[in-house]
Amino acid sequence: MSSLKQIKLAQKVAVQQQQVIGELETLVKDIERSEKTIIELKAELEAVNAKHQNRNSTREDIAYLTDLLKCANRKLAWEKQMASLQKRTPEILNHMSKLVNDPASPLDQQTYAAIIASLQRVQSAMERLQSVKAS
């Protein structure tokens, strides 16, 4: 029979495990949002270049540069988003690793499967983002 202290500890660990799964899912969504943003940004930049292809006046040059500046501001926001992801990801993975490798509180099969599935979604999202960045 488990003591009250052991039950409370098990509940605390279960909550932490669910939090890590939630953090991994949030990470996936943020990576997907970054992927979507860079795709939109590339399309927007192509549209700006096509729209302002034949500039003949200073006014047209200014319009082109204004549109480019808007793209640059969006890219700067995307870069900040990427920096945040790069900072958060190791922290989340480190926290997950500690929970998974804790001998005092082993994972149940369902939680283990959920963590593995979340990690696979993170990996897949990161691969898609990397391929978009490379193209």
Side-chain angles (χ1 to χ4, degrees):
M1 190 165 190
S2 298
S3 71
L4 181 60
K5 188 175 182 180
Q6 289 172 326
I7 292 171
K8 288 192 181 257
L9 180 62
Q11 289 173 338
K12 181 181 174 184
V13 169
V15 167
Q16 289 176 340
Q17 291 168 348
Q18 292 305 312
Q19 285 175 336
V20 165
I21 292 169
E23 289 172 0
L24 289 170
E25 293 301 320
T26 300
L27 186 63
V28 169
K29 290 176 186 173
D30 290 345
I31 294 168
E32 289 171 345
R33 191 175 313 116
S34 292
E35 176 189 7
K36 180 182 175 203
T37 300
I38 197 66
I39 289 170
E40 290 171 352
L41 187 57
K42 284 181 177 185
E44 184 178 336
L45 186 57
E46 288 174 11
V48 165
N49 285 327
K51 177 182 174 183
H52 297 285
Q53 191 171 14
N54 299 318
R55 298 180 309 275
N56 296 322
S57 68
T58 304
R59 187 175 308 277
E60 290 173 347
D61 287 342
I62 291 171
Y64 174 63
L65 293 173
T66 301
D67 289 346
L68 279 181
L69 185 58
K70 289 177 187 174
C71 288
N73 281 326
R74 287 195 62 204
K75 185 173 183 192
L76 181 61
W78 176 80
E79 288 172 352
K80 288 180 181 178
Q81 186 179 25
M82 291 301 298
S84 172
L85 282 173
Q86 289 173 337
K87 181 180 176 187
R88 282 187 9 236
T89 301
E91 294 171 358
I92 293 170
L93 294 177
N94 187 30
H95 187 217
M96 181 219 50
S97 178
K98 286 179 183 176
L99 286 175
V100 168
N101 295 322
D102 185 2
S105 51
L107 297 174
D108 62 28
Q109 194 64 28
Q110 182 180 4
T111 304
Y112 181 78
I115 287 175
I116 294 298
S118 295
L119 285 172
Q120 288 171 338
R121 284 192 291 280
V122 167
Q123 181 182 14
S124 175
M126 289 176 79
E127 288 172 353
R128 287 191 314 273
L129 177 62
Q130 190 62 36
S131 70
V132 168
K133 284 173 49 178
S135 63

